[in-house]
Amino acid sequence: MKVHISHRQLGFLAANMTIASSLVVLPQSLTDLSLQNTWVVPLILFVYVVIIVSIGMFGIQKLQVLDFDSKSWKIKGFALLMFIFIAHILIRDIRILTGFVDTTLLPLTPTFVVTMLFIGTSLYIAWAGIEVIARFNEIIYVLFIIVIIFIPISLLEEMSLSNFEPVMGFHVIPSLLQSSFIGFAWIGEIIIVFLILNTTKSYQKSKMSLILGGGLGLFLLFVLIFSQTAVISPEIVRFTTYPSYTLVQQIRLTEFLDRLDFFLVSLYFPTIFSKLALMLYGLNRTVNMITNSKNKVTLIPLTLLMGMLSLLLFEDKNDIYEFKIHSWASLGLFLQLVIAIVMFFVIRDQLKNNKQTQNNSSKDSQQ
């Protein structure tokens, strides 16, 4: 029985890919370069989402069936590139999130234990399959949207519009471009959902679902960046390791209800589990595409491997900072563009095959 997910679920998965882990560290990196004008960066990043999705999805509406299980070398090349891309993101995200937990929530808990908890929970969700991942993500992402919208509303009295001055100007264009270059690699992770396009019921609305999903994720990122600038000020944000968490700590509803940070973070972590589960599913999917098999046997060793590599490759927190900001900006952008181009050729070849099949069938019927 073929599994199916709706276009709404596809859009929510795309939205989650753009913000789930980026909200932890990306606002600080962007604000460090663009200061009070950082709120403009999500608008530029949305243009990039439209471009890269349009390249990878060119002609997808004309396909009746997207075959990822063929033995074509282009399919295998696409799978190999995706494997490299997803592996880098998984290792990076696991280490970033364990570092966040070690620093802010559980400073006395060994990093190994936190890592095993993250990958164990994500593996449990990934093992259930893409339909469960999509349904789980759809439910928790609605709660996540409510949480993000609640943050600026609860901090209205703390906001100061003077933190946005001076506003724009030609002299800020280079800094905006630098910030956008860093953000491209993070926001472009939306292309991972290319792997599950063949699980949608039809391809006619897939492109729009991805664009709207990416737009939703970037809107939430814009809300966070705007709130951080207005409440904390850009000069403080640029030197704060986890500005989103610092922003949540500013919420004071009453004299007695002044520690909502743990509660709100607990609502945030399911989005992380959803993203990691989707990436683990995608990692196993790429292995099956390369080996022309269909099984879950490789999912457990792949998950353990990603967890161990996150500990071994980034023992020093300075190493993960250099990778996530400087190295990943170039490497991630390069991989995303290559994957989108290869996806374009995969769809083009399948369109040609469909036309040849239709022509042959019409000739046979005429004869």
Side-chain angles (χ1 to χ4, degrees), residues 92-152:
R92 181 206 67 192
D93 280 2
I94 292 172
R95 190 64 188 94
I96 288 175
L97 295 167
T98 54
F100 168 71
V101 173
D102 290 343
T103 304
T104 60
L105 302 177
L106 302 172
L108 301 180
T109 304
T111 304
F112 175 79
V113 174
V114 177
T115 301
M116 291 300 107
L117 289 174
F118 267 108
I119 65 174
T121 305
S122 304
L123 173 62
Y124 178 78
I125 301 172
W127 189 268
I130 188 59
E131 287 182 311
V132 173
I133 296 173
R135 286 197 297 268
F136 173 74
N137 180 78
E138 184 180 18
I139 295 171
I140 59 96
Y141 205 79
V142 173
L143 295 176
F144 178 68
I145 293 173
I146 296 173
V147 169
I148 297 298
I149 299 300
F150 166 77
I151 292 174

Short mmCIF file of all heavy atoms in Angstrom, two decimals, residues 92-152:
data_model
loop_
_atom_site.label_atom_id
_atom_site.label_comp_id
_atom_site.label_asym_id
_atom_site.label_seq_id
_atom_site.Cartn_x
_atom_site.Cartn_y
_atom_site.Cartn_z
N ARG A 92 25.49 18.46 12.63
CA ARG A 92 25.54 19.85 13.11
C ARG A 92 24.40 20.14 14.09
O ARG A 92 24.61 20.68 15.17
CB ARG A 92 25.45 20.80 11.92
CG ARG A 92 25.51 22.27 12.27
CD ARG A 92 24.81 23.09 11.21
NE ARG A 92 23.36 22.83 11.19
CZ ARG A 92 22.54 23.24 10.24
NH1 ARG A 92 23.03 23.87 9.19
NH2 ARG A 92 21.25 22.98 10.30
N ASP A 93 23.17 19.77 13.71
CA ASP A 93 22.00 20.09 14.54
C ASP A 93 22.04 19.37 15.88
O ASP A 93 21.71 19.96 16.92
CB ASP A 93 20.72 19.72 13.79
CG ASP A 93 20.32 20.77 12.78
OD1 ASP A 93 21.07 21.76 12.63
OD2 ASP A 93 19.26 20.60 12.13
N ILE A 94 22.43 18.11 15.86
CA ILE A 94 22.49 17.36 17.12
C ILE A 94 23.46 18.02 18.08
O ILE A 94 23.18 18.20 19.27
CB ILE A 94 22.89 15.90 16.86
CG1 ILE A 94 21.77 15.17 16.10
CG2 ILE A 94 23.18 15.17 18.17
CD1 ILE A 94 22.16 13.77 15.63
N ARG A 95 24.62 18.45 17.54
CA ARG A 95 25.63 19.07 18.42
C ARG A 95 25.18 20.45 18.89
O ARG A 95 25.44 20.84 20.04
CB ARG A 95 26.97 19.18 17.68
CG ARG A 95 28.11 19.58 18.61
CD ARG A 95 28.34 18.49 19.64
NE ARG A 95 29.29 18.90 20.66
CZ ARG A 95 28.95 19.44 21.84
NH1 ARG A 95 27.67 19.62 22.13
NH2 ARG A 95 29.87 19.79 22.71
N ILE A 96 24.53 21.21 18.02
CA ILE A 96 24.04 22.53 18.43
C ILE A 96 23.00 22.39 19.54
O ILE A 96 23.04 23.12 20.55
CB ILE A 96 23.43 23.27 17.22
CG1 ILE A 96 24.55 23.73 16.27
CG2 ILE A 96 22.61 24.47 17.68
CD1 ILE A 96 24.03 24.35 15.00
N LEU A 97 22.09 21.45 19.38
CA LEU A 97 20.99 21.29 20.34
C LEU A 97 21.48 20.72 21.66
O LEU A 97 21.03 21.14 22.72
CB LEU A 97 19.91 20.41 19.74
CG LEU A 97 19.22 21.05 18.52
CD1 LEU A 97 18.38 20.02 17.78
CD2 LEU A 97 18.37 22.23 18.94
N THR A 98 22.41 19.77 21.61
CA THR A 98 22.97 19.25 22.87
C THR A 98 23.77 20.33 23.58
O THR A 98 23.76 20.41 24.81
CB THR A 98 23.85 18.02 22.60
OG1 THR A 98 24.87 18.34 21.62
CG2 THR A 98 23.03 16.85 22.10
N GLY A 99 24.46 21.18 22.80
CA GLY A 99 25.18 22.30 23.41
C GLY A 99 24.23 23.28 24.08
O GLY A 99 24.52 23.81 25.16
N PHE A 100 23.09 23.53 23.45
CA PHE A 100 22.09 24.42 24.03
C PHE A 100 21.54 23.85 25.33
O PHE A 100 21.41 24.56 26.34
CB PHE A 100 20.95 24.62 23.02
CG PHE A 100 19.73 25.27 23.59
CD1 PHE A 100 19.74 26.61 23.96
CD2 PHE A 100 18.56 24.54 23.77
CE1 PHE A 100 18.61 27.21 24.49
CE2 PHE A 100 17.42 25.14 24.30
CZ PHE A 100 17.45 26.48 24.66
N VAL A 101 21.23 22.56 25.33
CA VAL A 101 20.70 21.92 26.54
C VAL A 101 21.75 21.92 27.64
O VAL A 101 21.45 22.20 28.81
CB VAL A 101 20.24 20.48 26.23
CG1 VAL A 101 19.86 19.74 27.51
CG2 VAL A 101 19.06 20.50 25.27
N ASP A 102 23.01 21.60 27.28
CA ASP A 102 24.09 21.59 28.28
C ASP A 102 24.28 22.95 28.91
O ASP A 102 24.56 23.06 30.11
CB ASP A 102 25.40 21.15 27.62
CG ASP A 102 25.39 19.69 27.22
OD1 ASP A 102 24.53 18.95 27.74
OD2 ASP A 102 26.23 19.28 26.40
N THR A 103 24.13 24.00 28.13
CA THR A 103 24.42 25.35 28.62
C THR A 103 23.28 25.94 29.42
O THR A 103 23.51 26.61 30.44
CB THR A 103 24.74 26.28 27.43
OG1 THR A 103 25.82 25.73 26.67
CG2 THR A 103 25.12 27.67 27.91
N THR A 104 22.04 25.71 28.98
CA THR A 104 20.90 26.44 29.56
C THR A 104 19.99 25.59 30.45
O THR A 104 19.42 26.11 31.42
CB THR A 104 20.04 27.05 28.44
OG1 THR A 104 19.55 26.00 27.59
CG2 THR A 104 20.85 28.02 27.61
N LEU A 105 19.81 24.31 30.13
CA LEU A 105 18.79 23.51 30.81
C LEU A 105 19.36 22.45 31.74
O LEU A 105 18.94 22.33 32.89
CB LEU A 105 17.88 22.85 29.77
CG LEU A 105 17.16 23.79 28.80
CD1 LEU A 105 16.35 22.99 27.78
CD2 LEU A 105 16.26 24.76 29.55
N LEU A 106 20.32 21.67 31.25
CA LEU A 106 20.86 20.55 32.03
C LEU A 106 22.39 20.60 32.07
O LEU A 106 23.07 19.76 31.49
CB LEU A 106 20.40 19.21 31.43
CG LEU A 106 18.88 19.00 31.31
CD1 LEU A 106 18.59 17.73 30.52
CD2 LEU A 106 18.24 18.92 32.69
N PRO A 107 22.95 21.59 32.77
CA PRO A 107 24.41 21.75 32.76
C PRO A 107 25.17 20.60 33.44
O PRO A 107 26.36 20.41 33.17
CB PRO A 107 24.62 23.07 33.51
CG PRO A 107 23.40 23.23 34.35
CD PRO A 107 22.28 22.64 33.56
N LEU A 108 24.51 19.85 34.30
CA LEU A 108 25.18 18.77 35.01
C LEU A 108 25.00 17.41 34.34
O LEU A 108 25.58 16.42 34.79
CB LEU A 108 24.65 18.70 36.46
CG LEU A 108 24.84 19.98 37.30
CD1 LEU A 108 24.28 19.77 38.70
CD2 LEU A 108 26.31 20.36 37.37
N THR A 109 24.21 17.36 33.28
CA THR A 109 23.98 16.09 32.58
C THR A 109 25.04 15.89 31.51
O THR A 109 25.31 16.81 30.72
CB THR A 109 22.58 16.08 31.93
OG1 THR A 109 21.60 16.34 32.93
CG2 THR A 109 22.30 14.75 31.28
N PRO A 110 25.65 14.69 31.43
CA PRO A 110 26.67 14.45 30.39
C PRO A 110 26.12 14.63 28.99
O PRO A 110 24.96 14.29 28.71
CB PRO A 110 27.07 12.98 30.64
CG PRO A 110 26.71 12.73 32.07
CD PRO A 110 25.50 13.56 32.35
N THR A 111 26.95 15.18 28.11
CA THR A 111 26.52 15.44 26.73
C THR A 111 26.12 14.15 26.02
O THR A 111 25.19 14.13 25.21
CB THR A 111 27.65 16.12 25.94
OG1 THR A 111 28.04 17.31 26.63
CG2 THR A 111 27.20 16.48 24.54
N PHE A 112 26.80 13.06 26.32
CA PHE A 112 26.48 11.77 25.70
C PHE A 112 25.04 11.36 26.01
O PHE A 112 24.32 10.88 25.13
CB PHE A 112 27.45 10.70 26.20
CG PHE A 112 27.14 9.32 25.70
CD1 PHE A 112 27.51 8.94 24.41
CD2 PHE A 112 26.46 8.41 26.49
CE1 PHE A 112 27.21 7.66 23.93
CE2 PHE A 112 26.16 7.14 26.03
CZ PHE A 112 26.54 6.77 24.75
N VAL A 113 24.62 11.56 27.26
CA VAL A 113 23.26 11.18 27.67
C VAL A 113 22.23 12.03 26.92
O VAL A 113 21.22 11.51 26.41
CB VAL A 113 23.08 11.34 29.18
CG1 VAL A 113 21.63 11.08 29.58
CG2 VAL A 113 24.02 10.41 29.93
N VAL A 114 22.47 13.33 26.82
CA VAL A 114 21.56 14.23 26.11
C VAL A 114 21.47 13.84 24.63
O VAL A 114 20.39 13.82 24.04
CB VAL A 114 22.00 15.69 26.26
CG1 VAL A 114 21.09 16.62 25.46
CG2 VAL A 114 22.01 16.11 27.72
N THR A 115 22.63 13.51 24.05
CA THR A 115 22.66 13.10 22.64
C THR A 115 21.84 11.85 22.40
O THR A 115 21.07 11.75 21.44
CB THR A 115 24.11 12.87 22.18
OG1 THR A 115 24.87 14.06 22.37
CG2 THR A 115 24.16 12.46 20.71
N MET A 116 21.99 10.86 23.28
CA MET A 116 21.24 9.62 23.14
C MET A 116 19.73 9.84 23.28
O MET A 116 18.93 9.21 22.60
CB MET A 116 21.71 8.59 24.18
CG MET A 116 23.12 8.07 23.95
SD MET A 116 23.32 7.24 22.33
CE MET A 116 24.28 8.45 21.43
N LEU A 117 19.35 10.77 24.16
CA LEU A 117 17.93 11.09 24.31
C LEU A 117 17.37 11.72 23.03
O LEU A 117 16.26 11.39 22.60
CB LEU A 117 17.73 12.03 25.50
CG LEU A 117 17.93 11.42 26.89
CD1 LEU A 117 17.85 12.51 27.95
CD2 LEU A 117 16.89 10.35 27.17
N PHE A 118 18.14 12.62 22.44
CA PHE A 118 17.70 13.26 21.21
C PHE A 118 17.54 12.25 20.08
O PHE A 118 16.49 12.20 19.42
CB PHE A 118 18.71 14.35 20.80
CG PHE A 118 18.38 15.71 21.31
CD1 PHE A 118 19.13 16.29 22.32
CD2 PHE A 118 17.32 16.42 20.79
CE1 PHE A 118 18.82 17.54 22.81
CE2 PHE A 118 17.00 17.68 21.27
CZ PHE A 118 17.76 18.25 22.28
N ILE A 119 18.58 11.47 19.83
CA ILE A 119 18.53 10.56 18.69
C ILE A 119 17.58 9.39 18.95
O ILE A 119 16.97 8.86 18.02
CB ILE A 119 19.93 10.05 18.30
CG1 ILE A 119 20.54 9.19 19.41
CG2 ILE A 119 20.85 11.21 17.96
CD1 ILE A 119 21.87 8.55 19.01
N GLY A 120 17.43 8.99 20.22
CA GLY A 120 16.51 7.90 20.54
C GLY A 120 15.06 8.30 20.28
O GLY A 120 14.30 7.54 19.68
N THR A 121 14.69 9.50 20.72
CA THR A 121 13.32 9.98 20.49
C THR A 121 13.05 10.17 19.01
O THR A 121 11.98 9.80 18.50
CB THR A 121 13.10 11.30 21.24
OG1 THR A 121 13.42 11.13 22.62
CG2 THR A 121 11.66 11.77 21.09
N SER A 122 14.02 10.75 18.30
CA SER A 122 13.85 11.00 16.86
C SER A 122 13.79 9.69 16.09
O SER A 122 13.01 9.56 15.13
CB SER A 122 15.01 11.87 16.35
OG SER A 122 15.10 13.07 17.07
N LEU A 123 14.59 8.70 16.50
CA LEU A 123 14.57 7.40 15.84
C LEU A 123 13.21 6.72 16.01
O LEU A 123 12.69 6.10 15.07
CB LEU A 123 15.67 6.51 16.42
CG LEU A 123 15.69 5.05 15.96
CD1 LEU A 123 15.92 4.97 14.45
CD2 LEU A 123 16.78 4.27 16.70
N TYR A 124 12.62 6.85 17.19
CA TYR A 124 11.31 6.24 17.45
C TYR A 124 10.26 6.80 16.49
O TYR A 124 9.42 6.06 15.96
CB TYR A 124 10.92 6.51 18.90
CG TYR A 124 9.55 5.98 19.27
CD1 TYR A 124 9.36 4.62 19.54
CD2 TYR A 124 8.45 6.83 19.35
CE1 TYR A 124 8.10 4.13 19.88
CE2 TYR A 124 7.20 6.35 19.69
CZ TYR A 124 7.04 5.00 19.95
OH TYR A 124 5.79 4.51 20.28
N ILE A 125 10.30 8.12 16.25
CA ILE A 125 9.34 8.74 15.33
C ILE A 125 9.64 8.35 13.90
O ILE A 125 8.74 8.03 13.11
CB ILE A 125 9.36 10.27 15.49
CG1 ILE A 125 9.03 10.67 16.93
CG2 ILE A 125 8.37 10.93 14.53
CD1 ILE A 125 9.20 12.14 17.22
N ALA A 126 10.94 8.37 13.53
CA ALA A 126 11.33 8.05 12.15
C ALA A 126 10.99 6.62 11.79
O ALA A 126 10.63 6.33 10.64
CB ALA A 126 12.83 8.30 11.97
N TRP A 127 11.10 5.72 12.75
CA TRP A 127 10.83 4.30 12.49
C TRP A 127 9.38 4.07 12.09
O TRP A 127 9.06 3.15 11.34
CB TRP A 127 11.16 3.48 13.73
CG TRP A 127 11.12 2.01 13.50
CD1 TRP A 127 10.06 1.17 13.69
CD2 TRP A 127 12.20 1.19 13.03
NE1 TRP A 127 10.40 -0.13 13.37
CE2 TRP A 127 11.71 -0.15 12.97
CE3 TRP A 127 13.52 1.43 12.68
CZ2 TRP A 127 12.51 -1.20 12.56
CZ3 TRP A 127 14.32 0.38 12.27
CH2 TRP A 127 13.82 -0.93 12.20
N ALA A 128 8.48 4.94 12.55
CA ALA A 128 7.05 4.78 12.25
C ALA A 128 6.72 5.13 10.81
O ALA A 128 5.64 4.77 10.32
CB ALA A 128 6.22 5.63 13.20
N GLY A 129 7.60 5.85 10.12
CA GLY A 129 7.36 6.15 8.71
C GLY A 129 6.98 7.59 8.46
O GLY A 129 6.72 8.37 9.38
N ILE A 130 6.91 7.96 7.19
CA ILE A 130 6.70 9.35 6.80
C ILE A 130 5.30 9.83 7.15
O ILE A 130 5.10 11.02 7.46
CB ILE A 130 6.97 9.53 5.29
CG1 ILE A 130 6.94 11.01 4.91
CG2 ILE A 130 6.00 8.72 4.46
CD1 ILE A 130 7.92 11.87 5.63
N GLU A 131 4.30 8.97 7.12
CA GLU A 131 2.95 9.40 7.46
C GLU A 131 2.85 9.84 8.92
O GLU A 131 2.23 10.86 9.24
CB GLU A 131 1.94 8.28 7.18
CG GLU A 131 1.69 8.05 5.70
CD GLU A 131 0.66 6.96 5.47
OE1 GLU A 131 0.78 5.89 6.08
OE2 GLU A 131 -0.28 7.19 4.69
N VAL A 132 3.48 9.08 9.80
CA VAL A 132 3.47 9.43 11.22
C VAL A 132 4.27 10.71 11.46
O VAL A 132 3.86 11.58 12.23
CB VAL A 132 4.04 8.27 12.06
CG1 VAL A 132 4.20 8.69 13.52
CG2 VAL A 132 3.13 7.05 11.97
N ILE A 133 5.41 10.82 10.80
CA ILE A 133 6.22 12.03 10.92
C ILE A 133 5.42 13.26 10.50
O ILE A 133 5.42 14.29 11.17
CB ILE A 133 7.50 11.92 10.07
CG1 ILE A 133 8.40 10.80 10.60
CG2 ILE A 133 8.27 13.25 10.08
CD1 ILE A 133 9.61 10.52 9.71
N ALA A 134 4.73 13.15 9.36
CA ALA A 134 3.95 14.29 8.85
C ALA A 134 2.80 14.65 9.77
O ALA A 134 2.54 15.83 10.02
CB ALA A 134 3.42 13.95 7.45
N ARG A 135 2.08 13.64 10.30
CA ARG A 135 0.96 13.93 11.20
C ARG A 135 1.45 14.53 12.51
O ARG A 135 0.86 15.48 13.03
CB ARG A 135 0.17 12.65 11.47
CG ARG A 135 -0.71 12.21 10.31
CD ARG A 135 -1.75 11.21 10.77
NE ARG A 135 -1.16 9.99 11.30
CZ ARG A 135 -0.91 8.90 10.58
NH1 ARG A 135 -1.20 8.89 9.28
NH2 ARG A 135 -0.38 7.84 11.14
N PHE A 136 2.52 13.97 13.05
CA PHE A 136 3.10 14.49 14.29
C PHE A 136 3.56 15.94 14.11
O PHE A 136 3.27 16.81 14.94
CB PHE A 136 4.27 13.61 14.72
CG PHE A 136 5.05 14.14 15.89
CD1 PHE A 136 4.53 14.07 17.17
CD2 PHE A 136 6.30 14.71 15.72
CE1 PHE A 136 5.24 14.56 18.26
CE2 PHE A 136 7.03 15.21 16.79
CZ PHE A 136 6.49 15.14 18.07
N ASN A 137 4.24 16.19 13.00
CA ASN A 137 4.74 17.54 12.73
C ASN A 137 3.59 18.53 12.56
O ASN A 137 3.66 19.67 13.02
CB ASN A 137 5.61 17.52 11.48
CG ASN A 137 6.16 18.89 11.13
OD1 ASN A 137 7.12 19.37 11.72
ND2 ASN A 137 5.55 19.55 10.16
N GLU A 138 2.53 18.10 11.89
CA GLU A 138 1.39 18.99 11.66
C GLU A 138 0.76 19.43 12.98
O GLU A 138 0.41 20.61 13.16
CB GLU A 138 0.35 18.28 10.80
CG GLU A 138 -0.84 19.14 10.43
CD GLU A 138 -1.84 18.39 9.57
OE1 GLU A 138 -1.79 17.13 9.56
OE2 GLU A 138 -2.67 19.05 8.93
N ILE A 139 0.64 18.51 13.92
CA ILE A 139 0.02 18.82 15.21
C ILE A 139 0.90 19.76 16.03
O ILE A 139 0.45 20.80 16.53
CB ILE A 139 -0.28 17.53 15.99
CG1 ILE A 139 -1.33 16.70 15.25
CG2 ILE A 139 -0.76 17.86 17.41
CD1 ILE A 139 -1.52 15.31 15.83
N ILE A 140 2.16 19.39 16.16
CA ILE A 140 3.03 20.18 17.05
C ILE A 140 3.39 21.53 16.42
O ILE A 140 3.68 22.49 17.14
CB ILE A 140 4.30 19.39 17.43
CG1 ILE A 140 5.12 18.99 16.18
CG2 ILE A 140 3.93 18.15 18.23
CD1 ILE A 140 6.24 19.91 15.85
N TYR A 141 3.35 21.63 15.08
CA TYR A 141 3.73 22.89 14.47
C TYR A 141 2.65 23.95 14.68
O TYR A 141 2.97 25.15 14.77
CB TYR A 141 4.00 22.72 12.98
CG TYR A 141 4.94 23.77 12.43
CD1 TYR A 141 6.32 23.67 12.64
CD2 TYR A 141 4.46 24.88 11.74
CE1 TYR A 141 7.18 24.64 12.17
CE2 TYR A 141 5.31 25.86 11.27
CZ TYR A 141 6.67 25.73 11.48
OH TYR A 141 7.52 26.70 11.03
N VAL A 142 1.41 23.54 14.77
CA VAL A 142 0.34 24.49 15.09
C VAL A 142 0.57 25.09 16.47
O VAL A 142 0.45 26.31 16.69
CB VAL A 142 -1.04 23.80 15.01
CG1 VAL A 142 -2.12 24.74 15.52
CG2 VAL A 142 -1.34 23.38 13.59
N LEU A 143 0.96 24.24 17.43
CA LEU A 143 1.29 24.73 18.78
C LEU A 143 2.51 25.63 18.74
O LEU A 143 2.56 26.65 19.45
CB LEU A 143 1.54 23.54 19.72
CG LEU A 143 0.35 22.62 20.00
CD1 LEU A 143 0.79 21.44 20.85
CD2 LEU A 143 -0.77 23.39 20.68
N PHE A 144 3.47 25.28 17.91
CA PHE A 144 4.69 26.07 17.79
C PHE A 144 4.38 27.47 17.26
O PHE A 144 4.93 28.47 17.74
CB PHE A 144 5.66 25.34 16.86
CG PHE A 144 6.95 26.08 16.61
CD1 PHE A 144 7.87 26.25 17.63
CD2 PHE A 144 7.23 26.59 15.36
CE1 PHE A 144 9.07 26.93 17.40
CE2 PHE A 144 8.42 27.27 15.12
CZ PHE A 144 9.33 27.44 16.14
N ILE A 145 3.49 27.56 16.27
CA ILE A 145 3.09 28.87 15.73
C ILE A 145 2.46 29.72 16.82
O ILE A 145 2.76 30.92 16.95
CB ILE A 145 2.11 28.68 14.55
CG1 ILE A 145 2.81 28.02 13.37
CG2 ILE A 145 1.53 30.03 14.13
CD1 ILE A 145 1.88 27.65 12.24
N ILE A 146 1.59 29.10 17.63
CA ILE A 146 0.94 29.83 18.72
C ILE A 146 1.98 30.36 19.70
O ILE A 146 1.90 31.51 20.18
CB ILE A 146 -0.08 28.93 19.44
CG1 ILE A 146 -1.21 28.55 18.47
CG2 ILE A 146 -0.64 29.61 20.68
CD1 ILE A 146 -2.17 27.52 19.02
N VAL A 147 2.99 29.54 20.01
CA VAL A 147 4.04 29.95 20.94
C VAL A 147 4.82 31.14 20.40
O VAL A 147 5.07 32.13 21.11
CB VAL A 147 5.00 28.78 21.23
CG1 VAL A 147 6.25 29.26 21.97
CG2 VAL A 147 4.30 27.70 22.04
N ILE A 148 5.20 31.08 19.11
CA ILE A 148 5.99 32.16 18.52
C ILE A 148 5.18 33.47 18.48
O ILE A 148 5.72 34.55 18.76
CB ILE A 148 6.44 31.78 17.10
CG1 ILE A 148 7.36 30.56 17.13
CG2 ILE A 148 7.15 32.95 16.43
CD1 ILE A 148 8.64 30.77 17.89
N ILE A 149 3.90 33.39 18.14
CA ILE A 149 3.07 34.59 18.10
C ILE A 149 2.84 35.14 19.52
O ILE A 149 2.75 36.36 19.73
CB ILE A 149 1.71 34.29 17.43
CG1 ILE A 149 1.93 33.82 15.97
CG2 ILE A 149 0.81 35.50 17.46
CD1 ILE A 149 2.64 34.84 15.10
N PHE A 150 2.77 34.24 20.50
CA PHE A 150 2.55 34.66 21.89
C PHE A 150 3.73 35.48 22.43
O PHE A 150 3.53 36.41 23.23
CB PHE A 150 2.33 33.41 22.76
CG PHE A 150 2.43 33.67 24.23
CD1 PHE A 150 1.38 34.28 24.91
CD2 PHE A 150 3.57 33.31 24.94
CE1 PHE A 150 1.47 34.52 26.27
CE2 PHE A 150 3.67 33.56 26.30
CZ PHE A 150 2.62 34.15 26.97
N ILE A 151 4.93 35.16 21.99
CA ILE A 151 6.13 35.82 22.54
C ILE A 151 6.10 37.34 22.34
O ILE A 151 6.22 38.09 23.32
CB ILE A 151 7.40 35.20 21.94
CG1 ILE A 151 7.57 33.76 22.45
CG2 ILE A 151 8.64 36.03 22.31
CD1 ILE A 151 8.72 33.01 21.81
N PRO A 152 5.96 37.87 21.10
CA PRO A 152 5.94 39.34 20.97
C PRO A 152 4.72 39.99 21.61
O PRO A 152 4.81 41.12 22.11
CB PRO A 152 5.95 39.55 19.45
CG PRO A 152 5.40 38.29 18.88
CD PRO A 152 5.86 37.21 19.79
#
